[in-house]
Amino acid sequence: MTRPSHSEAPSRPRALSRPRARALALSAVPLVALLAVAGFAPLPYSVARPGQTTDVLGTHRGGEVISISGAPVRKTSGQLRMVAIQATAPQVDIRLGEVIDGWLREDRAVMPRDAVFPPGKSDAEIEKHNIAEMKSSQHAATAAALGFLKKDPDRVKVALRLEDVGGPSAGLMFSLGIVDKLDGGGSGGDLTGGRTIAGTGTIEADGTVGAVGGAALKTQAAKRDGASVFLVPKAECAQVQPAPDGLRLIPVTTLKSAVQALRALAKGGAGGSVPSC
């Protein structure tokens, strides 16, 4: 068998011919131009960040968030804070640099614009849509809470006031606020146990809790505003991991499961009776 000679010098790379080098240089021009255009062209994304939190047991803009008539109302302690995210409006142009920055930051989320806002609508139409969803959510929250407490909706009247937040994701917290004001923890104490509880989740009239968007950003807003506990739809537990330091995550599927978890937590959570993500 003939073996290769180790005395042979290694072959040297040959220089590109001028025509080929020129062709490669010219082919790079469209790529550079494409990147330059992408850097300045608007992209179909929305960048979200942690938004405001509001204590539904308290006041907002001079009035009670939850007003109840037709039944005795308890004086509460602690807080139940609904949480919102703030997203760039559909008419705002998002550039490549903002998208990259959003991907790199933990306090930002980049989402397809159509996943955040109804497509093809103006800012005014979207605001109207969000307000309608909030009103529908408030009606469902009232029905769920009164149904859970077995209160007659013809006798007990609930008014919910939170005009500057749209969408359905405060439903769970509205229901819990009504329950706390009417019944507390069920044995004379507060449903909150004196804590600052935050959370998110839609609510159906039968008490079913639904998933929402931006849950991970909402945990950051909750921690920022003093919450030690965050209620999250069970289906979104993975999305909120890891939680901000010092924030306990409790998964819920129904209004009943949320009330049971908070009552157990108020009693000290003995025996592992409080679920966790």
Side-chain angles (χ1 to χ4, degrees), residues 24-191:
L24 288 175
L26 290 175
S27 67
V29 171
L31 177 60
V32 173
L34 180 62
L35 291 174
V37 170
F40 291 99
L43 299 173
Y45 293 102
S46 181
V47 179
R49 67 188 68 193
Q52 75 179 67
T53 72
T54 305
D55 178 20
V56 300
L57 295 175
T59 60
H60 182 69
R61 294 193 173 183
E64 287 188 310
V65 176
I66 300 175
S67 301
I68 302 175
S69 59
V73 176
R74 300 177 61 257
K75 184 177 180 179
T76 61
S77 67
Q79 298 181 14
L80 287 170
R81 303 194 76 87
M82 58 77 58
V83 189
I85 61 171
Q86 181 180 349
T88 51
Q91 307 306 321
V92 175
D93 290 340
I94 301 299
R95 310 293 177 176
L96 180 61
E98 294 169 282
V99 171
I100 294 173
D101 179 64
W103 282 333
L104 296 176
R105 294 178 57 165
E106 293 184 357
D107 62 345
R108 298 288 187 274
V110 179
M111 296 176 284
R113 185 178 295 157
D114 289 351
V116 183
F117 302 105
K121 294 186 180 295
S122 67
D123 287 357
E125 290 171 327
I126 289 171
E127 182 178 2
K128 184 177 180 180
H129 171 81
N130 286 340
I131 291 173
E133 282 199 322
M134 171 62 87
K135 292 294 185 185
S136 177
S137 174
Q138 291 174 345
H139 290 312
T142 299
L146 296 182
F148 174 77
L149 295 173
K150 296 180 172 53
K151 300 286 187 182
D152 185 350
D154 292 327
R155 301 175 69 89
V156 180
K157 301 299 181 183
V158 179
L160 301 175
R161 181 176 181 272
L162 194 61
E163 296 90 348
D164 56 348
V165 178
S169 66
L172 170 63
M173 301 310 289
F174 279 136
S175 287
L176 290 172
I178 297 168
V179 170
D180 198 15
K181 285 202 165 194
L182 289 174
D183 195 50
S187 56
D190 291 296
L191 186 60

